[in-house]
Amino acid sequence: MFGGKENFGVLKSPHRRLTLPSDIFATGYPKRELTARDCPFFTSALLSMWDNIVGPRIQCEWNMFGSRWEVNGRTIEYIANHTLNGEICRTEELAAAPGQIVENKLYVVADHDIMVSAFIFSCFQAKQGPCVFSLCLLLPLQNKASYLPLHKLCEQRMKECVDRLTALFQQHSETSTVLDMFADEMPKFMSLVDGINRLSLKERLTVRTTNSYAGDGI
């Protein structure tokens, strides 16, 4: 079951680059390339973990590298930091039911013209014990109106992704092994939602553009 309430907020990116303890790990996480399309529904996804020593740490990034839709590294780090910074005191609460409490938060990063749907949950890791994670979907702000009607569907599918990820962490002690086995889950899900969005009927249809239009006599 999903815990908590959906929250909607606005993140304002800093004018100056702040050096964070987790920056020393910024280049040490796997990056998976997504297939770029002319107008993708989602542009990237991000898995982050709260580390009690260094703070938010990026675990994996899915991005459209080399395309005009690529989300730059500074924005990725900013989102990872701000989706987990407020969860430092919730480790015990979320760890009480690993993978069962999934809290969703929606953010608008206006300066970068993107919207973030973040799913907060906990996983038990063999080497670190219970840890708080965030699994984020990033999409262009122009797709906001199209995403909101699909949010409940995305929420349910992301819960299934969390279940899969939680089970993998319980079965394997190495994070690299878990990420290798989980890597294809996000692209499949993102492609599915993109297809639903492209093939779904528009809210408003002009009769003249349908086969039901029989001329002025209709």
Side-chain angles (χ1 to χ4, degrees):
M1 106 181 141
F2 289 93
K5 298 181 180 179
E6 296 172 6
N7 300 306
F8 191 85
V10 177
L11 295 180
K12 295 183 179 180
S13 57
H15 296 290
R16 294 185 301 171
R17 178 68 168 88
L18 300 179
T19 302
L20 300 169
S22 55
D23 287 346
I24 60 176
F25 298 96
T27 59
Y29 58 88
K31 299 180 180 181
R32 310 286 180 172
E33 185 173 3
L34 297 174
T35 302
R37 293 177 291 272
D38 292 337
C39 187
F41 193 74
F42 295 111
T43 52
S44 61
L46 183 66
L47 176 66
S48 306
M49 179 194 77
W50 176 265
D51 188 298
N52 289 329
I53 298 177
V54 300
R57 290 181 58 180
I58 300 174
Q59 299 294 293
C60 190
E61 172 191 351
W62 295 262
N63 208 332
M64 296 187 175
F65 299 107
S67 75
R68 64 191 181 98
W69 296 106
E70 178 182 355
V71 181
N72 64 61
R74 180 180 178 183
T75 301
I76 290 292
E77 292 179 22
Y78 179 80
I79 291 171
N81 288 324
H82 284 73
T83 53
L84 281 176
N85 272 339
E87 310 302 325
I88 184 173
C89 298
R90 302 191 59 211
T91 303
E92 293 185 2
E93 173 191 347
L94 295 175
Q100 297 181 25
I101 300 177
V102 182
E103 182 174 303
N104 177 235
K105 298 181 179 181
L106 298 175
Y107 300 101
V108 169
V109 189
D111 291 352
H112 296 272
D113 199 32
I114 62 173
M115 178 178 174
V116 181
S117 184
F119 296 82
I120 312 298
F121 61 98
S122 69
C123 272
F124 185 87
Q125 291 188 302
K127 294 183 178 180
Q128 301 189 48
C131 299
V132 177
F133 286 79
S134 72
L135 186 58
C136 300
L137 297 169
L138 283 67
L139 60 152
L141 194 53
Q142 68 185 40
N143 291 348
K144 173 185 172 183
S146 299
Y147 172 77
L148 292 179
L150 299 174
H151 177 64
K152 289 299 181 183
L153 172 65
C154 292
E155 191 176 48
Q156 182 58 43
R157 179 63 181 125
M158 289 294 283
K159 175 60 166 59
E160 296 175 3
C161 289
V162 169
D163 289 343
R164 168 71 170 159
L165 191 58
T166 302
L168 288 173
F169 272 118
Q170 292 176 344
Q171 296 169 10
H172 305 278
S173 59
E174 295 296 330
T175 301
S176 59
T177 301
V178 172
L179 295 178
D180 285 340
M181 301 180 70
F182 183 75
D184 292 336
E185 296 291 331
M186 295 306 296
K188 289 179 182 178
F189 162 68
M190 297 163 79
S191 178
L192 172 64
V193 177
D194 181 71
I196 293 175
N197 178 64
R198 287 186 291 105
L199 299 175
S200 60
L201 293 175
K202 298 180 180 179
E203 293 185 3
R204 295 184 180 182
L205 292 176
T206 303
V207 177
R208 290 178 180 272
T209 64
T210 69
N211 291 333
S212 300
Y213 179 62
D216 296 335
I218 188 171

